Amino acid sequence: MSLMNADAVAADLTTDPYVAAFPETAPFWEASRKGMLVLPWCEDCGRCHWHPRSFCPLCGASRLVWRTSSGRGQLYSFSVDRKSAEPIVVAYVVLEEGPMLMTNIVGTASAALKIGVAVQVRFRAAPEGRMAPVFELCRMLPSN
Amino acid sequence: MVVGHHAVKGKFELLQRPARAQFVRKGTGKRAKHLAARQQTGDPRQKRHLDGHPPPLAMGRENAVDDAALLRPRGPDGRLLAPGERGEIVVKGDLVMGGYHENADASAAALKDGWLHTGDVGYRDEDGYLYVVDRLKDLVISGGFNISPSEIEQVLLGHPAIADGRCNVALITLAGKPRSAGQRTGTERRHMPVDRPNAAWEAAYGWTVATLYGNLAKRHMHQYGTTSEQLAWIKVAASVHAQHNPLALLPKAVTVDDVLTSPMVADPLHRLDCCVITDGGGTLVLTRPEIAKSLHRPWVRVLGCGETVKTSGGGYADMLRTGAAQSGANAFRQAGVRPQDIQYASIYDDFTIMVLLQLEDLGFCEKSQGGRFVEDGGLIAGQGRLAWNTDGGGLCNNHPANRGGITKAIEAVRQLRGEAAAPLQVPNCSLALAAGPGGVHGLGHSHATVIMERV
């Protein structure tokens, strides 16, 4: 199921300088463009890490594979920027698979957020074009 | 001696590691220009001295063969002086700075006829060795550095070099004017260069320094029950101290209520949880024990130090544990003392939460107990649990060049010398600590701790 933000159209990945600077991360951005969160897994120590690197920062091995993530996690902490024009929520999420990442929480007023709530990934176009993972509160899916 | 004031933006290594013999920064093709003095390595020659002064060790000898600077004493009439004659030391060479960045007046004042006027007074002997004996001006205004680790770390780099005999005098400097530049250090969005490995993963989220520390504070509150009131007590203590500092930007005492009613900057941090932005600078001078003893000033000795880098640990690092846990452990082990032995502590305070985290990580209290340690005036000198930042710290006094390592070390030295503000002077202060990070906690930071004693 696509989690892509319907309002944002991803630019050509080759024009995003943050993607171009580290070509080994291209598979991540190709997947995010399709609405999928993938994580790098180490075939030696069996753990995934964040942010994606070309070797395993946990054990030093270099046999890494990309695997699709559930996209679910828990809100570890957050802070609301009161000095910006629109209040944005800078947050950290711990993924089900283990590692923690920096992100924004979208789609919910900050007053409704609590540390520990379940969140799920969606994607939002960064100014340079890549589709960056952001998180929203988990919702019950409507039954058909 | 390494002189560290220069005029261009960019990263510099102020002191080379002792393993490399050179202490002069060579131009690396980046067209970086700075003032450098050749360090006499390996041979602490005791030369004859003038006027019955205690023999200052020779700074070094000019060498016209390589691209090091020429250093000459010059008389007021501009004449280059003969051996033994004293004058202002002027410098010329490839490594000399071309000017102060965007400050034509300062550049014109310092650079005359192709010679940089250092403001130092000295003489040279018949062998060409140069001795510095005095200063013409009190302070050299610099354009500021862009060094990642804290200035405390420089104490570490200079210190073993002196112990190894490769360096007689090390100068560690800091200066910068973010206030004049109108910089909104804590609340501005920072551009992340594309070649930083973490940039692609963090640049899109509009973080500011304040929101990152806000994340730490909110998590600490959730995990350990720390309250905004407890954090506010840290600012209160700094403000009580700042009342006695005529140079402090914010010299008025505040209450917990004042902190809590100040505008929210980045939840849960209020404005008064955040440090000031100021222009300013400072300098530390490290030297060999023989020289220190000859100066007839109270002598402060480095007893132990530690430094570390804390990364995100592949996504698994505990965010509530700062690098202070490692650097502090190293410093205490080397010094052979315990946190409860420390009589005064300068702990970097960009935000109240960072003070609390470091208190825990340095071992002044258990992890999770930081709130209890600081509440009810816990950090107020003379009445609390630990005398801390008696100059008013970053929260009330200053935060020059957006850094605080030098200022933390300076106040610790003052306490050890009995030169702090009288109402805040720790009686018979003989053991002190200074600690602080470099970088931004949450994105990866370095941390250094130094423990000092009065000899």
Side-chain angles (χ1 to χ4, degrees):
Chain A
M1 178 177 109
S2 172
L3 298 171
M4 196 178 303
N5 183 339
D7 297 328
V9 177
D12 183 354
L13 278 178
T14 58
T15 64
D16 187 317
Y18 289 103
V19 174
F22 293 90
E24 70 271 22
T25 65
F28 178 94
W29 303 110
E30 280 154 19
S32 74
R33 205 166 153 203
K34 297 181 199 137
M36 283 190 306
L37 179 69
V38 296
L39 296 174
W41 286 83
C42 176
E43 296 200 295
D44 277 56
C45 72
R47 291 173 290 179
C48 70
H49 65 267
W50 188 267
H51 57 86
R53 286 177 160 83
S54 54
F55 65 97
C56 178
L58 305 173
C59 77
S62 48
R63 292 194 304 146
L64 298 174
V65 292
W66 295 100
R67 293 194 187 126
T68 304
S69 158
S70 69
R72 287 188 299 268
Q74 260 196 8
L75 185 59
Y76 177 84
S77 192
F78 65 99
S79 182
V80 184
D81 184 349
R82 302 291 181 184
K83 303 292 281 186
S84 68
E86 73 293 345
I88 73 159
V89 180
V90 178
Y92 285 89
V93 165
V94 177
L95 296 171
E96 260 181 11
E97 292 85 356
M100 184 163 78
L101 50 72
M102 178 197 289
T103 190
N104 290 142
I105 306 299
V106 300
T108 308
S110 60
L113 296 176
K114 283 165 77 93
I115 289 178
V117 294
V119 293
Q120 65 188 34
V121 75
R122 55 181 291 171
F123 293 90
R124 181 187 68 195
E128 300 81 13
R130 66 195 180 284
M131 294 301 283
V134 296
F135 287 80
E136 59 185 7
L137 294 187
C138 275
R139 288 188 294 256
M140 293 293 292
L141 299 176
S143 55
N144 290 331
Chain B
M1 176 165 115
V2 175
V3 182
H5 54 91
H6 53 84
V8 285
K9 293 176 190 161
K11 281 197 168 22
F12 280 86
E13 258 182 67
L14 192 58
L15 292 171
Q16 304 256 3
R17 297 207 169 264
R20 293 179 238 158
Q22 297 291 339
F23 284 89
V24 173
R25 174 72 179 176
K26 300 235 177 236
T28 55
K30 292 182 185 180
R31 303 186 67 239
K33 303 245 181 232
H34 60 270
L35 177 65
R38 171 69 64 192
Q39 173 60 45
Q40 175 75 355
T41 57
D43 178 18
R45 300 171 61 144
Q46 293 286 340
K47 302 293 292 179
R48 292 196 324 269
H49 52 276
L50 304 181
D51 298 339
H53 275 270
L57 290 182
M59 265 187 56
R61 185 167 54 179
E62 73 173 39
N63 186 342
V65 173
D66 62 13
D67 60 356
L70 302 176
L71 303 110
R72 296 276 174 78
R74 201 177 211 190
D77 56 355
R79 171 178 66 95
L80 293 178
L81 300 173
E85 295 184 296
R86 288 190 186 187
E88 183 182 9
I89 297 172
V90 295
V91 190
K92 176 191 270 196
D94 288 347
L95 291 174
V96 178
M97 70 174 193
Y100 289 102
H101 186 62
E102 289 175 353
N103 192 339
D105 289 341
S107 299
L111 292 154
K112 298 167 198 157
D113 311 318
W115 292 89
L116 172 69
H117 288 60
T118 65
D120 294 310
V121 177
Y123 62 91
R124 64 187 170 108
D125 64 16
E126 309 89 320
D127 300 323
Y129 285 95
L130 190 69
Y131 299 80
V132 177
V133 297
D134 206 344
R135 284 278 315 152
L136 277 182
K137 354 176 210 179
D138 283 333
L139 181 69
V140 177
I141 308 294
S142 147
F145 297 93
N146 191 14
I147 303 173
S148 273
S150 69
E151 292 75 39
I152 291 171
E153 194 169 293
Q154 303 301 329
V155 173
L156 317 182
L157 297 175
H159 172 48
I162 289 175
D164 291 346
R166 301 179 209 231
C167 175
N168 296 316
V169 181
L171 190 71
I172 305 165
T173 71
L174 163 78
K177 301 165 73 172
R179 187 174 184 84
S180 294
Q183 190 177 1
R184 296 168 61 235
T185 312
T187 53
E188 66 192 2
R189 304 232 178 127
R190 305 285 183 92
H191 169 70
M192 298 186 82
V194 298
D195 60 351
R196 294 259 183 96
N198 58 326
W201 316 101
E202 291 172 348
Y205 300 116
W207 60 267
T208 63
V209 172
T211 54
L212 295 184
Y213 280 97
N215 266 271
L216 300 182
K218 197 179 270 292
R219 181 71 197 187
H220 205 278
M221 291 173 172
H222 170 84
Q223 198 162 319
Y224 300 127
T226 303
T227 64
S228 290
E229 288 80 5
Q230 288 170 329
L231 288 180
W233 272 109
I234 298 169
K235 165 73 177 189
V236 168
S239 72
V240 166
H241 298 159
Q243 292 176 108
H244 304 280
N245 184 353
L247 298 177
L249 186 75
L250 303 177
K252 213 164 71 76
V254 301
T255 64
V256 166
D257 223 62
D258 290 333
V259 180
L260 299 184
T261 54
S262 65
M264 195 70 80
V265 169
D267 301 42
L269 299 174
H270 304 84
R271 178 191 291 159
L272 267 55
D273 284 299
C274 312
C275 71
V276 299
I277 300 169
T278 66
D279 301 337
T283 300
L284 299 174
V285 181
L286 270 69
T287 188
R288 299 168 66 75
E290 309 88 80
I291 297 178
K293 281 181 203 164
S294 73
L295 297 175
H296 308 297
R297 294 289 307 279
W299 172 23
V300 171
R301 174 166 59 193
V302 175
L303 206 54
C305 44
E307 57 176 331
T308 193
V309 173
K310 171 120 197 283
T311 71
S312 58
Y316 294 93
D318 180 359
M319 192 180 278
L320 295 184
R321 192 180 142 100
T322 72
Q326 189 64 58
S327 78
N330 292 348
F332 279 110
R333 181 168 47 245
Q334 192 174 77
V337 301
R338 306 156 305 166
Q340 53 261 52
D341 301 323
I342 300 294
Q343 293 170 272
Y344 169 80
S346 282
I347 300 175
Y348 180 68
D349 52 345
D350 51 354
F351 298 90
T352 50
I353 180 63
M354 192 54 178
V355 179
L356 191 150
L357 290 170
Q358 290 175 92
L359 285 166
E360 295 175 338
D361 293 333
L362 290 168
F364 290 104
C365 61
E366 296 289 316
K367 179 57 74 182
S368 80
Q369 299 301 302
R372 287 201 182 77
F373 191 88
V374 302
E375 68 188 354
D376 301 329
L379 295 179
I380 298 178
Q383 65 185 74
R385 298 175 185 91
L386 176 69
W388 161 86
N389 291 16
T390 46
D391 63 318
L395 285 168
C396 294
N397 177 23
N398 60 13
H399 196 228
N402 303 321
R403 287 169 175 80
I406 288 269
T407 53
K408 300 296 150 286
I410 286 175
E411 184 65 8
V413 170
R414 287 200 174 117
Q415 279 280 353
L416 290 168
R417 288 179 159 181
E419 294 172 1
L424 308 175
Q425 174 67 51
V426 172
N428 302 314
C429 189
S430 59
L431 195 68
L433 172 150
V440 180
H441 189 79
L443 299 184
H445 62 280
S446 61
H447 200 279
T449 299
V450 61
I451 295 171
M452 298 172 277
E453 67 170 357
R454 186 188 68 230
V455 175

